[in-house]
Amino acid sequence: MVTALYPGTFDPVTMGHLDVAERSARLFGTVIVAVYDTPSKSLLFTTEERVALMRGAVAHVGNIVVQPFTGLVVNYARDQGAATIIRGLRSSPDFEYESQMFFMNRRLEPEVDMVALMSDQAHTFISSSLLKEVARLGGEISGMVPPNVVGALREKFGSPVK
């Protein structure tokens, strides 16, 4: 059975992320959801919180493992025995970015391949950044994030996130 790695910051995990993770679990023997520890962007949730939120969101899927990682994703994939890196795509700009990442990763580690899954159409407009802004302002986010994330956002913002 092939092991695949689904890396990201997941700040926070959205229904789009969950869709890609669940579909990946049907395609691969084991899916490691790798929560990136040190991205070059400011985060709302700590690494530990993001790992816990993702674990809660995928608890119903038996072949998904969630763990934090740092460093180059291709090195982590190789170290974990993952032959494939999974990426989710929402739109054309995602494709442009991911194709650059694919070619760089392929140059660094030719033995690790990449599979890109289109996000379900219902989730194409959801980005973690936009979602956090809507939540911060008290907007309706249920249905865009797993239920455990709604509660975590309520706690973070101390507001009536819906």
Side-chain angles (χ1 to χ4, degrees):
M1 294 297 266
V2 175
T3 297
L5 186 78
Y6 178 31
T9 54
F10 307 111
D11 186 48
V13 58
T14 68
M15 294 306 285
H17 296 136
L18 185 57
D19 172 58
V20 170
E22 290 172 340
R23 289 171 42 222
S24 297
R26 291 193 302 264
L27 298 172
F28 297 96
T30 301
V31 174
I32 300 169
V33 175
V35 179
Y36 190 43
D37 188 31
T38 52
S40 60
K41 54 184 171 181
S42 61
L43 299 172
L44 178 62
F45 293 98
T46 66
T47 302
E48 295 76 21
E49 290 170 325
R50 290 179 288 127
V51 166
L53 289 171
M54 181 59 87
R55 283 182 178 150
V58 299
H60 64 285
V61 185
N63 63 330
I64 293 180
V65 177
V66 181
Q67 49 198 33
F69 85 102
T70 190
L72 289 173
V73 70
V74 291
N75 291 345
Y76 191 71
R78 183 193 61 235
D79 294 346
Q80 297 299 308
T84 305
I85 295 172
I86 300 164
R87 300 300 296 165
L89 300 176
R90 292 173 300 168
S91 60
S92 296
D94 283 355
F95 177 79
E96 297 291 328
Y97 175 77
E98 295 300 341
S99 64
Q100 289 178 328
M101 293 296 293
F102 167 76
F103 290 116
M104 178 58 79
N105 286 338
R106 188 71 166 188
R107 170 79 187 227
L108 296 171
E109 187 58 57
E111 297 302 310
V112 176
D113 215 336
M114 185 180 89
V115 170
L117 296 177
M118 294 297 297
S119 180
D120 186 279
Q121 187 176 4
H123 309 302
T124 57
F125 68 95
I126 302 172
S127 74
S128 291
S129 300
L130 182 57
L131 192 126
K132 287 185 285 192
E133 182 68 10
V134 170
R136 186 179 67 77
L137 297 170
E140 175 68 47
I141 60 165
S142 62
M144 292 186 273
V145 296
N148 64 322
V149 176
V150 174
L153 286 166
R154 272 194 196 113
E155 287 181 32
K156 280 289 182 187
F157 293 124
S159 65
V161 174
K162 302 173 186 153

